[in-house]
Amino acid sequence: MDIRTKIMVSTAVIVAVAMTTSTVVSITSLVRKSEKDIAQFRQEMLDKYKRTLTDLVEVAYAQIDASYQQGMKSGGKEKAAELIKRDIGVLRYDNGGNYYWINDTVRPTPHMVMHPISPALNGSVMDDPKYDCAFGSNINFFTAMVDVCEREGRGFVGYDWPRPGMTQAVAKLSYVRLYKPLNWIVGT
């Protein structure tokens, strides 16, 4: 092979390596940026969802307080409790697909006060092992809700649970808030 051919082959190899390297660097950079953008988008969507859950529970909380005040004026705590259960039990959002429930703060495991989708739970101790799925661990999610509310008065609890009418558990996020006059927690 003469010198001219060697130079042309060497130049072609250098150009090919440079183009390949440039392409790999560009693709890697694009993938990293895409991953960062996707993570940012997911976080923005989660933050928006959390704001929505917070707003929804604040609406229910305002209704609880109004029902409590009305009940206290017309018949005391028992009347107030019945009004709250009735009024919150009919509240729905997302075209009726989602709801609110109320549980108490009894230790070691809370009781369901009012569940509009599964009224058979009302009055039950929420200690079934199937509830041991908060925060991706073996923690009872109702107890976790009590913990959050006792610490901060309100907050988020993640757990796995089937959607209404379904049997397969999916990751869910609930927002809960303590109503101190009755030591009840409302959540969605």
Side-chain angles (χ1 to χ4, degrees):
M1 206 184 326
D2 68 353
I3 191 90
R4 186 173 183 194
T5 306
K6 288 180 181 179
I7 290 173
M8 285 177 55
V9 170
S10 296
T11 302
V13 169
I14 290 171
V15 168
V17 169
M19 288 177 64
T20 303
T21 302
S22 177
T23 301
V24 168
V25 168
S26 295
I27 290 171
T28 302
S29 176
L30 184 59
V31 167
R32 285 185 183 149
K33 182 174 179 354
S34 296
E35 288 170 349
K36 182 180 174 188
D37 289 347
I38 290 169
Q40 181 180 350
F41 177 74
R42 283 186 179 146
Q43 187 59 51
E44 288 171 2
M45 293 303 294
L46 178 60
D47 292 345
K48 181 179 178 183
Y49 184 62
K50 284 182 171 183
R51 284 190 302 274
T52 299
L53 289 178
T54 301
D55 292 345
L56 288 164
V57 169
E58 293 305 318
V59 168
Y61 186 89
Q63 180 60 55
I64 287 171
D65 193 52
S67 298
Y68 180 80
Q69 299 304 327
Q70 179 185 356
M72 291 301 287
K73 288 178 186 172
S74 65
K77 254 188 179 176
E78 190 172 304
K79 177 70 172 173
E82 289 308 312
L83 286 175
I84 291 168
K85 289 188 275 188
R86 180 198 70 194
D87 294 345
I88 299 304
V90 297
L91 286 181
R92 299 287 189 281
Y93 61 95
D94 281 348
N95 297 318
N98 285 297
Y99 57 90
Y100 303 90
W101 77 88
I102 299 170
N103 58 270
D104 65 20
T105 57
V106 170
R107 294 289 189 166
T109 311
H111 298 82
M112 182 59 66
V113 172
M114 186 282 305
H115 196 290
I117 304 301
S118 301
L121 293 175
N122 297 349
S124 298
V125 177
M126 305 308 290
D127 61 356
D128 192 308
K130 70 182 178 184
Y131 303 131
D132 296 345
C133 55
F135 304 116
S137 64
N138 198 27
I139 299 170
N140 179 289
F141 64 78
F142 289 103
T143 302
M145 292 172 187
V146 173
D147 293 342
V148 165
C149 286
E150 285 181 348
R151 262 191 330 269
E152 301 174 33
R154 65 191 84 191
F156 295 96
V157 174
Y159 56 98
D160 297 323
W161 196 251
R163 293 195 182 282
M166 307 301 279
T167 56
Q168 184 176 2
V170 295
K172 294 186 81 173
L173 181 67
S174 286
Y175 182 75
V176 292
R177 182 165 180 196
L178 175 65
Y179 188 70
K180 262 207 170 301
L182 294 172
N183 283 321
W184 284 0
I185 294 171
V186 61
T188 191

